Amino acid sequence: MHTVVVGTSGVSASDVLAVARGAARIELSEEAVAALAAAREIVDALAAKPDPVYGVSTGFGALATRHISPELRAQLQRNIVRSHAAGMGPRVEREVVRALMFLRLKTVCSGHTGVRPEVAQTMADVLNAGITPVVHEYGSLGCSGDLAPLSHCALTLMGEGDAEGPDGVVRPAGELLAEHGIQPVELREKEGLALLNGTDGMLGMLVMALADLDTLYKSADITAALSLEALLGTDKVLAPELHAIRPHPGQGAAAANMLAVLEGSQLTGHHQDDAPRVQDAYSVRCAPQVAGAGRDTMAHARLVAERELAAAVDNPVVLPDGRVESNGNFHGAPVAYVLDFLAIAAADLGSIAERRTDRLLDKNRSHGLPPFLADDAGVDSGLMIAQYTQAALVSEMKRLAVPASADSIPSSAMQEDHVSMGWSAARKLRTAVDNLTRIIAVELYAATRAIELREGLSPAPASRAVIEAARAAGVQGPGPDRFLAPDLAAADAFVRGGHLVEAVEKVTGPLR
C-alpha cells in the first residue's frame, strides 16, 4: 500500500490524489511531530499570560474583542466547531472530503498552527481508517477558510456528528471512531480555530480538476483529429513551423498531438477534391489554438496550486521567533481565480467540440457524409438528438463559466466584508469537468461513426486503434436507429476512464 509521509514543507499534487482517490496511508514525519510540539509550546506559553492573544484567549471574527478566561477556553474551541458545522444541501463527494482533511493536516504539520501532535495524528488515523465526515455543499464563502466544510471534519475528530464508514454507510462519528480504536480529541487553545481556517477544500478540488483536465485536453485533441479526418480536412495547418511562429506552448502541444493521431491517414488532404475548399472551418482549423490556450491556462493554475500546496494557511500563525500573528492568508482569491479561469477554458473547449460534431451531422457541410450520419435518413434520425444533448451540455458549461470569484457577500457583522467564493468556483468547476467529459464523448461517438462511413480510404493507424477499442468497450458503430443512451454512456465511460488516450498512445507514444 502506498504511503504518504507528511512533513513541514507541504505536499505534492500526486500525494493529494493518492489520498483522495486512492487508499494511500498517511504517516507524520519526525520533523513534523517536532515542529508541532515546538509550536504548541509557544501557544501554551501565550495562553498562560494575562494578555489576550487572538485565537488563543479571545473570541473569533467579529467577537474577537472578548477576552476568554482559562476555564472557558476548551469550551470555546468546542463551540466554534459545533457552531461552524452549519453546512446545508447535498453531501460532498468522498474524494473531496478526503482531500479537504488531508490538506488541512498538511498545514497543521507545518508547525505554524500551534496544534498538538496528538490532534494531527488523530486526523491521519481517521483518514487511514477510511472514515469520511459528512460535509455539505453549502457553507463556505472561500474566506476565513472553507469554514463549514472543515468544521464538519473537525466535528468528526471530536466524535460528534455523522460520518461515512469504509463500508459506505453513514453512522454517528463516535461509533466509527470507537470501532477503529480512535480516541476523540479534546480541543485546547487555538486548536478548533486551526482546524477550520484554510483554503483546503477549494485547493483539493483544483488539484483533482487539473488531473482530470490533463486527460480531457488530450482526449479533445484526439477527437478533434478524428473529426478533421472524417471531414476530409487538411492536416497542413498542424505543421510545427506554423505554430512555432506563435510560440504559445499549449498550442504547439495540441497541434503535435493532432498530427501524431493523423499520421498515416488517407482521409486528410482531400479538401481540393470534388468540392474544393481553400481552408477548413475555424472549429477544425483553430482546434490547437483553443485547446492550447486552455492548456496554458492549466499551466498557470498548476503553478498556483503548487504554491498553495507548499503554503501554511491559518490565522493566526505561529512564527519561529515565538510570535503569534493575525494575517489574511486564508483569503481564497488566488485559488478562486484559477478555478474560474479553468471553467471558462473548459466551456470553450466544449463549445468548439460541439461545433465540429454539428458539422459532421450537416449534409451541407460534412463533404459527403449522410445527414445526421443516419443509416436511412428520414426513416432514421441518426445522431440528431445526440447533438441536442451535447448542445444542452455546452449551454450549461457557459453558465458555469460565469466567475464566482467576481462576487462577494459580506459576513460576520461586516468584519469579513470581502470574500472569494472560491468554494463555489470549485464546485461549479467539478460540474464543468464532468460535462466536458460527456461533450468529448459525443464528438468521439460521431467522429468514429463518420470515419467508418468513409468507404475506400483508410484512417490513420491511431484512429483505427481508437475505433477498435471503442467498439470493444460497447461504443457501437453505424447502423439503423437504436436506443442511443447506452451507446453514449459507453462513450462517456471510455473517455472518463482514460481509455481513449490509452488507445492512441499505444500507437503514437505519450501525447503532450
Side-chain angles (χ1 to χ4, degrees):
M1 183 179 290
H2 181 60
T3 298
V4 172
V5 178
V6 183
T8 60
S9 57
V11 297
S12 68
S14 60
D15 290 337
V16 176
L17 294 170
V19 172
R21 291 180 165 173
R25 286 191 59 80
I26 301 163
E27 293 181 2
L28 309 185
S29 72
E30 292 182 5
E31 175 193 31
V33 173
L36 284 159
R40 186 64 208 181
E41 287 182 7
I42 294 172
V43 170
D44 286 341
L46 289 171
K49 293 181 178 180
D51 301 326
V53 177
Y54 176 69
V56 176
S57 53
T58 71
F60 310 113
L63 303 176
T65 55
R66 178 177 172 182
H67 182 260
I68 307 298
S69 58
E71 67 274 11
L72 293 176
R73 289 176 189 169
Q75 181 181 341
L76 170 69
Q77 301 301 321
R78 288 194 300 271
N79 285 352
I80 190 176
V81 172
R82 290 168 175 164
S83 66
H84 286 44
M88 295 183 73
R91 283 180 57 197
V92 171
E93 304 84 1
R94 180 178 185 271
E95 66 177 16
V96 172
V97 179
R98 287 183 62 80
L100 174 77
M101 288 191 69
F102 175 65
L103 288 169
R104 195 69 218 138
L105 177 60
K106 174 267 298 183
T107 281
V108 165
C109 286
S110 70
H112 290 293
T113 68
V115 169
R116 288 169 295 150
E118 51 264 44
V119 176
Q121 186 59 57
T122 302
M123 296 173 76
D125 291 343
V126 168
L127 285 165
N128 288 339
I131 298 171
T132 307
V134 170
V135 173
H136 299 279
E137 180 86 15
Y138 303 105
S140 173
L141 300 180
C143 204
S144 290
D146 288 320
L147 287 174
L150 282 164
S151 297
H152 282 275
C153 294
L155 201 64
T156 294
L157 300 178
M158 292 166 51
E160 300 181 17
D162 293 327
E164 180 185 292
D167 58 359
V169 177
V170 174
R171 296 167 53 197
E175 292 181 12
L176 288 168
L177 294 186
E179 283 185 6
H180 290 83
I182 301 172
Q183 188 70 26
V185 298
E186 292 285 345
L187 297 176
R188 288 170 48 181
E189 291 93 343
K190 195 183 179 303
E191 289 180 334
L193 184 62
L195 293 176
L196 315 186
N197 220 333
T199 57
D200 309 291
M202 62 184 93
L203 176 58
M205 287 185 273
L206 172 61
V207 169
M208 289 186 282
L210 285 168
D212 294 338
L213 287 169
D214 185 64
T215 298
L216 287 176
Y217 269 82
K218 293 173 184 175
S219 300
D221 292 340
I222 295 167
T223 57
L226 295 174
S227 292
L228 185 152
E229 241 186 330
L231 291 167
L232 305 178
T234 176
D235 59 358
K236 289 184 178 180
V237 297
L238 304 174
E241 56 270 25
L242 293 176
H243 297 278
I245 62 176
R246 195 189 190 195
H248 294 289
Q251 177 180 324
N257 287 347
M258 290 181 67
L259 265 183
V261 174
L262 292 169
E263 184 175 356
S265 175
Q266 294 180 5
L267 289 165
T268 59
H270 294 278
H271 57 295
Q272 293 294 323
D273 288 354
D274 297 335
R277 285 171 276 160
V278 176
Q279 52 195 5
D280 292 315
Y282 283 13
S283 60
V284 177
R285 185 169 22 125
C286 301
Q289 284 76 10
V290 172
R295 270 187 170 79
D296 293 341
T297 301
M298 286 173 59
H300 172 59
R302 193 170 286 113
L303 176 62
V304 171
E306 289 168 357
R307 290 170 176 164
E308 199 77 356
L309 287 168
V313 179
D314 194 15
N315 179 48
V317 292
V318 180
L319 297 174
D321 61 8
R323 286 180 294 151
V324 176
E325 296 284 6
S326 183
N327 67 90
N329 284 342
F330 50 74
H331 200 289
V335 183
Y337 291 168
V338 294
L339 288 162
D340 280 332
F341 294 166
L342 290 174
I344 292 168
D348 203 33
L349 187 66
S351 179
I352 197 170
E354 183 276 330
R355 287 294 80 206
R356 290 190 295 264
T357 302
D358 183 65
R359 186 166 289 271
L360 289 167
L361 306 190
D362 184 353
K363 69 174 184 176
N364 297 311
R365 297 179 289 143
S366 66
H367 310 288
L369 291 169
F372 302 104
L373 305 181
D375 186 65
D376 183 3
V379 174
D380 294 311
S381 294
L383 306 191
M384 179 190 295
I385 308 304
Q387 184 268 331
Y388 280 37
T389 299
Q390 192 186 39
L393 289 163
V394 169
S395 183
E396 175 73 5
M397 292 278 285
K398 292 174 181 177
R399 290 192 291 274
L400 293 168
V402 176
S405 59
D407 188 26
S408 176
I409 190 163
S411 57
S412 192
M414 292 297 286
Q415 175 71 9
E416 299 168 11
D417 58 351
H418 184 274
V419 296
S420 78
M421 302 307 299
W423 173 274
S424 299
R427 296 305 296 166
K428 69 185 183 64
L429 178 60
R430 281 182 69 84
T431 304
V433 170
D434 203 32
N435 286 348
L436 179 60
T437 308
R438 298 185 179 103
I439 291 165
I440 292 171
V442 175
E443 183 180 17
L444 168 71
Y445 187 56
T448 53
R449 177 185 282 216
I451 288 173
E452 288 188 298
L453 291 171
R454 294 289 188 190
E455 298 178 356
L457 296 170
S458 296
S463 303
R464 284 200 301 273
V466 167
I467 293 170
E468 290 169 5
R471 300 297 174 254
V475 185
Q476 297 188 49
D481 280 357
R482 56 181 172 268
F483 182 21
L484 211 54
D487 278 11
L488 296 178
D492 176 56
F494 189 67
V495 174
R496 193 176 298 273
H499 307 303
L500 172 59
V501 175
E502 289 171 8
V504 167
E505 290 187 331
K506 287 178 181 178
V507 177
T508 64
L511 296 177
R512 293 167 61 182

